[in-house]
Amino acid sequence: MNSRFFTIETEARQQFYQVPKAFMCKDSKYFSMSAMAKLLYGILADRNSLSMKNGWFDEENRIYFKFNQEELCDVLGVKDPKTLRKYLKELEKHELLFRKRMGAMLVDRLYLLQVESSETLINSMMGKISPSRQGNFPHHDRENFPPSYTNINNTNSISSSS
């Protein structure tokens, strides 16, 4: 039997980079971003949460992080720092990243900014059924396997018994 099925035990051990659903919504101002910029946002969001745990706050109590370009290139799988800078600038252009220059010979502080989502966008995301669930499935499949609307389920409440 294949041991790669998801189970309750394996789910508890999984670690993922997460990207906001607004990035995938056609009505969003973020939809036009490149897939790499969206992935970079997820990587930076993960680093942002680590910075919070480490107490990296500025004088205005805002979370910041430091990443040198070489380290970011390695994590993102990009060889050329110019390519990385292109994705960072894309996040800055979409007002998702703020860079504070710290001076010569010092690493810049990066601030991840929250995704703006309008009430219209949220309502459209809440009301849509995934296109993959609108296909021509046999009737018995739809009865036995109802769609999972993850945008309205509390997916953070999964607990495992230890």
Side-chain angles (χ1 to χ4, degrees):
M1 189 64 142
N2 191 336
S3 63
R4 293 183 32 223
F5 284 100
F6 285 98
T7 66
I8 293 171
E9 291 80 22
T10 61
E11 275 298 294
R13 291 190 305 256
Q14 293 292 328
Q15 295 183 2
F16 297 95
Y17 290 117
Q18 297 180 354
V19 296
K21 287 184 180 182
F23 287 2
M24 309 307 166
C25 185
K26 288 183 183 178
D27 298 332
S28 166
K29 72 179 192 176
Y30 307 110
F31 185 74
S32 65
M33 288 184 354
S34 69
M36 288 296 279
K38 293 173 185 180
L39 176 61
L40 178 58
Y41 185 90
I43 291 168
L44 295 178
D46 184 67
R47 175 52 68 105
N48 205 48
S49 64
L50 180 62
S51 293
M52 187 173 73
K53 289 177 188 174
N54 289 333
W56 286 17
F57 302 99
D58 68 8
E59 57 282 347
E60 295 179 51
N61 218 23
R62 300 177 301 190
I63 303 166
Y64 69 89
F65 52 93
K66 299 175 185 178
F67 244 138
N68 67 40
Q69 289 186 9
E70 189 176 295
E71 188 179 359
L72 257 180
C73 283
D74 287 345
V75 172
L76 195 58
V78 172
K79 291 183 179 20
D80 187 1
K82 288 180 186 178
T83 304
L84 171 67
R85 285 192 293 273
K86 178 178 101 173
Y87 300 132
L88 288 168
K89 285 181 191 227
E90 192 174 349
L91 291 177
E92 289 179 88
K93 176 185 146 205
H94 283 88
E95 298 176 331
L96 293 170
L97 184 69
F98 176 77
R99 177 190 320 261
K100 182 175 183 180
R101 307 232 184 259
M102 299 306 293
M105 306 300 291
L106 296 173
V107 177
D108 294 345
R109 282 187 182 176
L110 299 176
Y111 294 84
L112 197 65
L113 303 177
Q114 296 181 46
V115 171
E116 291 178 31
S117 34
S118 68
E119 193 170 324
T120 307
L121 177 61
I122 292 168
N123 289 337
S124 72
M125 287 171 52
M126 294 291 285
K128 287 186 179 177
I129 297 174
S130 169
S132 65
R133 296 303 302 164
Q134 295 175 353
N136 293 325
F137 296 107
H139 182 67
H140 68 279
D141 279 352
R142 280 184 268 156
E143 279 183 0
N144 293 335
F145 301 105
S148 175
Y149 301 107
T150 57
N151 55 344
I152 58 176
N153 290 345
N154 184 359
T155 58
N156 292 327
S157 66
I158 297 172
S159 63
S160 62
S161 55
S162 299

Coordinates of all heavy atoms in Angstrom, one line a residue, residues 18 150 153-159:
Q18 N 2.4 29.2 3.1 CA 1.0 29.6 2.8 C 1.0 30.9 2.0 O 1.8 31.8 2.3 CB 0.2 29.7 4.1 CG 0.1 28.4 4.8 CD -0.7 28.5 6.1 OE1 -1.2 29.6 6.4 NE2 -1.0 27.4 6.7
T150 N -13.0 25.1 1.8 CA -12.0 25.4 2.7 C -12.0 26.9 3.1 O -11.5 27.3 4.1 CB -10.6 25.0 2.2 OG1 -10.3 25.7 1.0 CG2 -10.5 23.5 2.1
N153 N -14.6 26.6 6.1 CA -14.3 25.6 7.1 C -13.2 26.1 8.1 O -12.4 26.9 7.6 CB -13.8 24.3 6.5 CG -14.9 23.5 5.8 OD1 -16.0 23.8 5.9 ND2 -14.5 22.6 5.0
N154 N -13.3 25.7 9.3 CA -12.2 26.1 10.2 C -11.1 25.1 10.1 O -11.1 24.1 10.9 CB -12.8 26.2 11.7 CG -11.8 26.7 12.6 OD1 -10.7 27.0 12.3 ND2 -12.2 26.8 13.9
T155 N -10.2 25.3 9.2 CA -9.2 24.4 8.9 C -8.0 24.4 9.9 O -7.1 23.6 9.9 CB -8.6 24.6 7.5 OG1 -8.1 25.9 7.4 CG2 -9.6 24.3 6.4
N156 N -8.1 25.4 10.8 CA -7.0 25.6 11.8 C -7.4 24.8 13.1 O -6.6 24.8 14.0 CB -6.8 27.1 12.2 CG -6.2 27.8 11.0 OD1 -5.4 27.2 10.3 ND2 -6.6 29.0 10.9
S157 N -8.5 24.2 13.2 CA -8.9 23.5 14.4 C -8.6 22.1 14.5 O -9.2 21.4 15.3 CB -10.4 23.8 14.6 OG -11.2 23.1 13.6
I158 N -7.8 21.5 13.5 CA -7.5 20.1 13.5 C -6.6 19.8 14.7 O -5.6 20.5 15.0 CB -6.8 19.7 12.2 CG1 -7.7 19.9 11.0 CG2 -6.3 18.3 12.3 CD1 -7.0 19.8 9.7
S159 N -7.0 18.8 15.5 CA -6.2 18.4 16.6 C -6.0 17.0 16.6 O -6.7 16.2 16.0 CB -6.9 18.8 18.0 OG -8.1 18.1 18.1

